[in-house]
Amino acid sequence: MVSSLKQLAAISTDLAITLVVPAEPTGENRAFESHLNRMLAEAQDQATEFGSKRAARRLVQSIRDRVEQLSRANLSKGVWIGAHNDDVYVYQLDDETLPQVSVSRSLNVLPLVRQARHANALVLMLTETGCRLASFHARGATVEDRMRSLRVPGLPAKFHGEGARKGRESEGDQVDGRYRQWLRDVARITVGTQRKYPVLGRLPLIVVGVDRYIAYLTEVADSLEIAAVIHGSPDAFTTAELDSRIGVEVDWLRNERVVKALNRATRDIGAGRTSVDLAETRRWAELGRVDSLILEDGVTSDEVLALALDVYSRAGEVLSAPTGAISAHLPVLAPSHWVATLRW
């Protein structure tokens, strides 16, 4: 999402529509349809006043066409939709959301700035009884909120037995070949899902499985980018154990980048290349001087999130840190819950 945020924040056009539509993680999402229809009508009225009626109608129709492709069974707590010049972008939101319509010459990406700080993942579970995909949402209050099974055509993909004749010398090769083909199909389905639903494709992929399956998967799936591996059969873990193991990996993926950034900030203090002054940092961000902005999880100030948007739009990075991380690494900056490092 980060690279997309930078691109979205830089867009300037004659007419742009942004919607934040509440949704439900599971079910038929009838309320989503109701919100969407009402908000599209409102957006068309505002866009007509803002620009030409024909352009407004065409842009609203392009949103309808794009949203039709969304799987209603795989929505999260909200959907962000941005459109301009017939280009439509869609992201899912894990925060509780209220309906919001924005019509201007740029997209309202502040809801995405909040979302980009969260640590989520796509999880592929490998088991002979049926491989499956799930989305993991670190901010979920319960296991059910955090781990959401995805309905994907072709999954769960079961392994239908070894099928080789006993005693034949080629038996081992035949069995290995069947395993490779099975996992090649699983990888193809996974990559296809990532490409079809960009909101999933932008998440780091965590694979859960026994070593043998993971070895076959990495051998036959060059196009699958695996961020982390949990060794062991998904069937052998309880739901709570699997939730905990995935949570640890997600935190590790996030914190690895955060720790490196905090270490850089520690070195940069002596050189005068850090800031915790909001007004000063906003000015530097507008000049493109901010290299990274580290925000603790509890930061929800619109002013700081607007600063994050400035940083994104000028090729900087925004990282989410656990609450208290900045004070622990940089006690001289306490009690600040965010810190910026400068390029020069």
Side-chain angles (χ1 to χ4, degrees), residues 166-186:
K166 300 298 181 182
R168 294 187 58 173
E169 293 181 0
S170 61
E171 178 183 347
D173 291 339
Q174 291 179 20
V175 173
D176 288 349
R178 288 185 177 89
Y179 276 117
R180 289 187 179 92
Q181 185 57 53
W182 169 54
L183 291 170
R184 186 179 289 111
D185 291 341
V186 171

mmCIF file of all heavy atoms in Angstrom, residues 166-186:
data_model
loop_
_atom_site.group_PDB
_atom_site.id
_atom_site.type_symbol
_atom_site.label_atom_id
_atom_site.label_comp_id
_atom_site.label_asym_id
_atom_site.label_seq_id
_atom_site.Cartn_x
_atom_site.Cartn_y
_atom_site.Cartn_z
ATOM 1 N N LYS A 166 2.442 -49.948 -5.384
ATOM 2 C CA LYS A 166 3.439 -50.343 -4.406
ATOM 3 C C LYS A 166 4.510 -51.231 -5.049
ATOM 4 O O LYS A 166 4.197 -52.081 -5.878
ATOM 5 C CB LYS A 166 2.778 -51.096 -3.247
ATOM 6 C CG LYS A 166 1.734 -50.279 -2.506
ATOM 7 C CD LYS A 166 2.343 -49.031 -1.859
ATOM 8 C CE LYS A 166 1.302 -48.240 -1.101
ATOM 9 N NZ LYS A 166 1.873 -47.005 -0.523
ATOM 10 N N GLY A 167 5.735 -50.984 -4.648
ATOM 11 C CA GLY A 167 6.816 -51.840 -5.085
ATOM 12 C C GLY A 167 7.497 -51.384 -6.364
ATOM 13 O O GLY A 167 8.514 -51.951 -6.738
ATOM 14 N N ARG A 168 6.961 -50.429 -7.061
ATOM 15 C CA ARG A 168 7.601 -49.972 -8.288
ATOM 16 C C ARG A 168 8.739 -49.022 -7.955
ATOM 17 O O ARG A 168 8.643 -48.186 -7.042
ATOM 18 C CB ARG A 168 6.591 -49.279 -9.194
ATOM 19 C CG ARG A 168 5.519 -50.244 -9.718
ATOM 20 C CD ARG A 168 4.631 -49.577 -10.736
ATOM 21 N NE ARG A 168 5.412 -49.072 -11.868
ATOM 22 C CZ ARG A 168 4.850 -48.562 -12.961
ATOM 23 N NH1 ARG A 168 3.535 -48.504 -13.084
ATOM 24 N NH2 ARG A 168 5.606 -48.116 -13.940
ATOM 25 N N GLU A 169 9.827 -49.110 -8.712
ATOM 26 C CA GLU A 169 10.988 -48.274 -8.427
ATOM 27 C C GLU A 169 10.680 -46.791 -8.601
ATOM 28 O O GLU A 169 11.290 -45.952 -7.961
ATOM 29 C CB GLU A 169 12.146 -48.674 -9.350
ATOM 30 C CG GLU A 169 12.697 -50.066 -9.070
ATOM 31 C CD GLU A 169 13.848 -50.406 -9.978
ATOM 32 O OE1 GLU A 169 14.206 -49.544 -10.810
ATOM 33 O OE2 GLU A 169 14.412 -51.515 -9.852
ATOM 34 N N SER A 170 9.749 -46.502 -9.477
ATOM 35 C CA SER A 170 9.435 -45.098 -9.755
ATOM 36 C C SER A 170 8.401 -44.526 -8.800
ATOM 37 O O SER A 170 7.968 -43.400 -8.956
ATOM 38 C CB SER A 170 8.919 -44.950 -11.192
ATOM 39 O OG SER A 170 7.724 -45.705 -11.361
ATOM 40 N N GLU A 171 8.013 -45.322 -7.810
ATOM 41 C CA GLU A 171 6.935 -44.897 -6.918
ATOM 42 C C GLU A 171 7.255 -43.559 -6.241
ATOM 43 O O GLU A 171 6.416 -42.661 -6.203
ATOM 44 C CB GLU A 171 6.698 -45.953 -5.848
ATOM 45 C CG GLU A 171 5.622 -45.556 -4.833
ATOM 46 C CD GLU A 171 5.470 -46.602 -3.747
ATOM 47 O OE1 GLU A 171 6.008 -47.717 -3.910
ATOM 48 O OE2 GLU A 171 4.815 -46.298 -2.740
ATOM 49 N N GLY A 172 8.479 -43.419 -5.722
ATOM 50 C CA GLY A 172 8.833 -42.182 -5.027
ATOM 51 C C GLY A 172 8.745 -40.973 -5.932
ATOM 52 O O GLY A 172 8.223 -39.930 -5.540
ATOM 53 N N ASP A 173 9.237 -41.122 -7.163
ATOM 54 C CA ASP A 173 9.185 -40.005 -8.110
ATOM 55 C C ASP A 173 7.751 -39.641 -8.448
ATOM 56 O O ASP A 173 7.408 -38.463 -8.600
ATOM 57 C CB ASP A 173 9.948 -40.356 -9.389
ATOM 58 C CG ASP A 173 11.449 -40.460 -9.152
ATOM 59 O OD1 ASP A 173 11.915 -39.883 -8.145
ATOM 60 O OD2 ASP A 173 12.136 -41.104 -9.968
ATOM 61 N N GLN A 174 6.897 -40.667 -8.600
ATOM 62 C CA GLN A 174 5.492 -40.400 -8.923
ATOM 63 C C GLN A 174 4.806 -39.628 -7.804
ATOM 64 O O GLN A 174 4.065 -38.676 -8.035
ATOM 65 C CB GLN A 174 4.756 -41.718 -9.169
ATOM 66 C CG GLN A 174 5.170 -42.436 -10.450
ATOM 67 C CD GLN A 174 4.423 -43.737 -10.629
ATOM 68 O OE1 GLN A 174 3.369 -43.935 -10.037
ATOM 69 N NE2 GLN A 174 4.977 -44.641 -11.429
ATOM 70 N N VAL A 175 5.076 -40.058 -6.577
ATOM 71 C CA VAL A 175 4.466 -39.384 -5.429
ATOM 72 C C VAL A 175 4.964 -37.944 -5.340
ATOM 73 O O VAL A 175 4.182 -37.005 -5.158
ATOM 74 C CB VAL A 175 4.777 -40.150 -4.133
ATOM 75 C CG1 VAL A 175 4.297 -39.348 -2.912
ATOM 76 C CG2 VAL A 175 4.105 -41.516 -4.156
ATOM 77 N N ASP A 176 6.268 -37.759 -5.477
ATOM 78 C CA ASP A 176 6.823 -36.404 -5.423
ATOM 79 C C ASP A 176 6.220 -35.527 -6.519
ATOM 80 O O ASP A 176 5.925 -34.350 -6.310
ATOM 81 C CB ASP A 176 8.343 -36.448 -5.591
ATOM 82 C CG ASP A 176 9.043 -37.024 -4.356
ATOM 83 O OD1 ASP A 176 8.362 -37.186 -3.325
ATOM 84 O OD2 ASP A 176 10.251 -37.305 -4.438
ATOM 85 N N GLY A 177 6.040 -36.123 -7.705
ATOM 86 C CA GLY A 177 5.451 -35.363 -8.802
ATOM 87 C C GLY A 177 4.032 -34.922 -8.500
ATOM 88 O O GLY A 177 3.629 -33.812 -8.853
ATOM 89 N N ARG A 178 3.266 -35.808 -7.849
ATOM 90 C CA ARG A 178 1.894 -35.447 -7.497
ATOM 91 C C ARG A 178 1.861 -34.325 -6.457
ATOM 92 O O ARG A 178 1.028 -33.436 -6.512
ATOM 93 C CB ARG A 178 1.148 -36.675 -6.993
ATOM 94 C CG ARG A 178 0.824 -37.677 -8.093
ATOM 95 C CD ARG A 178 -0.012 -38.827 -7.570
ATOM 96 N NE ARG A 178 -0.370 -39.736 -8.651
ATOM 97 C CZ ARG A 178 0.370 -40.766 -9.040
ATOM 98 N NH1 ARG A 178 1.502 -41.017 -8.403
ATOM 99 N NH2 ARG A 178 -0.004 -41.543 -10.036
ATOM 100 N N TYR A 179 2.780 -34.407 -5.495
ATOM 101 C CA TYR A 179 2.851 -33.324 -4.506
ATOM 102 C C TYR A 179 3.210 -31.995 -5.179
ATOM 103 O O TYR A 179 2.629 -30.948 -4.873
ATOM 104 C CB TYR A 179 3.892 -33.644 -3.430
ATOM 105 C CG TYR A 179 3.365 -34.514 -2.310
ATOM 106 C CD1 TYR A 179 3.893 -35.782 -2.081
ATOM 107 C CD2 TYR A 179 2.345 -34.065 -1.479
ATOM 108 C CE1 TYR A 179 3.421 -36.585 -1.061
ATOM 109 C CE2 TYR A 179 1.868 -34.865 -0.456
ATOM 110 C CZ TYR A 179 2.401 -36.124 -0.247
ATOM 111 O OH TYR A 179 1.906 -36.902 0.762
ATOM 112 N N ARG A 180 4.153 -32.047 -6.086
ATOM 113 C CA ARG A 180 4.558 -30.818 -6.772
ATOM 114 C C ARG A 180 3.396 -30.241 -7.579
ATOM 115 O O ARG A 180 3.175 -29.023 -7.581
ATOM 116 C CB ARG A 180 5.758 -31.088 -7.684
ATOM 117 C CG ARG A 180 7.056 -31.352 -6.923
ATOM 118 C CD ARG A 180 8.239 -31.437 -7.885
ATOM 119 N NE ARG A 180 9.487 -31.655 -7.168
ATOM 120 C CZ ARG A 180 10.008 -32.842 -6.901
ATOM 121 N NH1 ARG A 180 9.388 -33.953 -7.321
ATOM 122 N NH2 ARG A 180 11.152 -32.944 -6.246
ATOM 123 N N GLN A 181 2.649 -31.100 -8.281
ATOM 124 C CA GLN A 181 1.530 -30.614 -9.076
ATOM 125 C C GLN A 181 0.435 -30.039 -8.173
ATOM 126 O O GLN A 181 -0.163 -29.007 -8.482
ATOM 127 C CB GLN A 181 0.953 -31.737 -9.936
ATOM 128 C CG GLN A 181 -0.158 -31.272 -10.885
ATOM 129 C CD GLN A 181 0.320 -30.154 -11.795
ATOM 130 O OE1 GLN A 181 1.349 -30.285 -12.469
ATOM 131 N NE2 GLN A 181 -0.413 -29.041 -11.834
ATOM 132 N N TRP A 182 0.183 -30.708 -7.059
ATOM 133 C CA TRP A 182 -0.813 -30.221 -6.098
ATOM 134 C C TRP A 182 -0.456 -28.819 -5.615
ATOM 135 O O TRP A 182 -1.296 -27.897 -5.649
ATOM 136 C CB TRP A 182 -0.875 -31.210 -4.940
ATOM 137 C CG TRP A 182 -1.646 -30.779 -3.732
ATOM 138 C CD1 TRP A 182 -2.929 -30.341 -3.682
ATOM 139 C CD2 TRP A 182 -1.168 -30.772 -2.378
ATOM 140 N NE1 TRP A 182 -3.293 -30.065 -2.387
ATOM 141 C CE2 TRP A 182 -2.225 -30.323 -1.566
ATOM 142 C CE3 TRP A 182 0.045 -31.116 -1.786
ATOM 143 C CZ2 TRP A 182 -2.100 -30.192 -0.185
ATOM 144 C CZ3 TRP A 182 0.174 -31.003 -0.417
ATOM 145 C CH2 TRP A 182 -0.897 -30.543 0.372
ATOM 146 N N LEU A 183 0.789 -28.629 -5.217
ATOM 147 C CA LEU A 183 1.191 -27.333 -4.681
ATOM 148 C C LEU A 183 1.403 -26.306 -5.785
ATOM 149 O O LEU A 183 1.263 -25.104 -5.553
ATOM 150 C CB LEU A 183 2.452 -27.495 -3.830
ATOM 151 C CG LEU A 183 2.184 -28.276 -2.535
ATOM 152 C CD1 LEU A 183 3.476 -28.634 -1.834
ATOM 153 C CD2 LEU A 183 1.273 -27.479 -1.610
ATOM 154 N N ARG A 184 1.704 -26.766 -6.988
ATOM 155 C CA ARG A 184 1.758 -25.839 -8.122
ATOM 156 C C ARG A 184 0.373 -25.238 -8.371
ATOM 157 O O ARG A 184 0.230 -24.041 -8.628
ATOM 158 C CB ARG A 184 2.269 -26.564 -9.368
ATOM 159 C CG ARG A 184 2.492 -25.626 -10.557
ATOM 160 C CD ARG A 184 3.024 -26.385 -11.766
ATOM 161 N NE ARG A 184 4.407 -26.829 -11.569
ATOM 162 C CZ ARG A 184 4.782 -28.089 -11.429
ATOM 163 N NH1 ARG A 184 3.869 -29.072 -11.464
ATOM 164 N NH2 ARG A 184 6.054 -28.399 -11.255
ATOM 165 N N ASP A 185 -0.671 -26.073 -8.274
ATOM 166 C CA ASP A 185 -2.044 -25.581 -8.427
ATOM 167 C C ASP A 185 -2.411 -24.614 -7.303
ATOM 168 O O ASP A 185 -3.050 -23.584 -7.538
ATOM 169 C CB ASP A 185 -3.031 -26.757 -8.436
ATOM 170 C CG ASP A 185 -2.919 -27.612 -9.687
ATOM 171 O OD1 ASP A 185 -2.367 -27.110 -10.690
ATOM 172 O OD2 ASP A 185 -3.366 -28.775 -9.654
ATOM 173 N N VAL A 186 -2.006 -24.948 -6.080
ATOM 174 C CA VAL A 186 -2.292 -24.066 -4.939
ATOM 175 C C VAL A 186 -1.605 -22.717 -5.132
ATOM 176 O O VAL A 186 -2.201 -21.655 -4.889
ATOM 177 C CB VAL A 186 -1.829 -24.728 -3.626
ATOM 178 C CG1 VAL A 186 -1.905 -23.737 -2.462
ATOM 179 C CG2 VAL A 186 -2.671 -25.959 -3.326
#
